[in-house]
Structure formats: structure tokens, C-alpha cells
Amino acid sequence: MSIGHTLLGLLEKGPRHGYDLKKAYDERFGQDRPLHYGQVYTTLSRLLRNGLVEEAGVESGDGPERKRYAITDAGVTDVESWLGTPEKPEPYLQNTLYAKVVLALLSGRSADDVLDVQRSAHLHTMRELTRRKAAGDLADQLICDHALFHLEADLRWLELTAARLGQLSAQLSEVHR
């Protein structure tokens, strides 16, 4: 995820402090990976340098002075462009799990064991996501659904691969004779 674009999008509602941006980001997007404060301020500095945000005042309170940041017209244009650009679909043609299966077969180890361990890990993660989805709001349910659909596709691949291990092993043996 582009943190810079996400912060810009959050600033479209109005000027905010770095602390407020971090809090809004973490509530909506950072459940599993909250932003570090340093990352927020580094990103804001870069956005400021690139003319996508501007300082919108400084407030002093009990603690240090807090700068408010506002999105510029160039920032709005940048967010619009980012939102209109599709993410690159990832075909996963060089998958680590596939490499493990092939290497297990080549080394005489059990590729079934590799697939079983991975299946177990996927099912464990799916159970956790299903619990999180049941307890979450609509936004959390949607992100959990996204992850669950990807894991379901992985499980289908694991089952298909398990069914074809004999064929794959035979092909690999022919190539390495």
C-alpha cells in the first residue's frame, strides 16, 4: 500500500496533525501493521518537499508544538491519479511454495509433507481471519474477505498439486536423468 497516497487521501477531509493521521490510518488500514510515528513524519516531510501537502499552522499545547498539514491541489490531483490507476495483478508465477514442492521432490523428501504443513498453516490463518471478520465492522469484514479469498485460492492450488505430485515427480525425474 502506498502510505503517502493513503495519508494524502486522509488529508482530503481537512488539515490534520501527524498524530491524527497515524490514528486515522491505524484505525482504517493498520490493524495488522500500524504505522510508526517516524514513518508518518518522514512521509509527511517527503509530501511537503514534493508540494503535495503544505503546513496549515502550528499549535502549541501541553507538549511540543504540533504542525497541521493540508493537502494541496497538486496532492488532490496525485490522489485522483493514484485511485484511477489499477494495481498490477500478481500472477505468482515464481511462488516460494512451488519451489519448495519441486525441491522436496528433487531431493527425495516428501512433497506431501510440505503441502500438508502449508495446508495446516493456511487453515489456521483462515480460522483467525474468520473470527476477526465476525467481530469486525464492515471495513474489517471486507479486508478479511479479501485475504480469505486469496487463501482459498491457495488451498485449491495445494489440493490440485497434491493430486498431481506423481506426474510432477515423473516429469522431474525425466528431466534430471
Side-chain angles (χ1 to χ4, degrees), residues 2-12 43 46-48 50-53 71-87:
S2 169
I3 294 169
H5 286 111
T6 305
L7 295 181
L8 285 172
L10 292 171
L11 282 170
E12 284 192 294
T43 303
R46 182 178 41 82
L47 295 172
L48 186 65
N50 293 339
L52 302 175
V53 299
I71 192 168
T72 63
D73 290 341
V76 171
T77 300
D78 198 55
V79 169
E80 287 175 3
S81 175
W82 178 66
L83 291 174
T85 303
E87 292 298 308

Side-chain angles (χ1 to χ4, degrees), residues 91-160:
Y92 302 108
L93 293 177
Q94 291 297 324
N95 186 289
T96 303
L97 183 54
Y98 171 75
K100 286 182 174 185
V101 169
V102 170
L103 291 172
L105 290 171
L106 290 174
S107 68
R109 292 181 177 94
S110 172
D112 281 314
D113 288 350
V114 171
L115 294 172
D116 287 344
V117 166
Q118 191 62 50
R119 186 180 301 106
S120 177
H122 270 61
L123 291 171
H124 175 76
T125 300
M126 290 175 80
R127 284 190 292 275
E128 288 177 350
L129 286 168
T130 301
R131 280 192 291 274
R132 176 176 163 181
K133 177 181 166 182
D137 62 8
L138 182 57
D140 210 34
Q141 291 170 15
L142 289 170
I143 195 67
C144 287
D145 281 339
H146 184 265
L148 284 164
F149 291 148
H150 282 274
L151 290 169
E152 286 173 9
D154 287 349
L155 281 176
R156 287 194 311 270
W157 181 85
L158 290 168
E159 296 305 321
L160 180 65

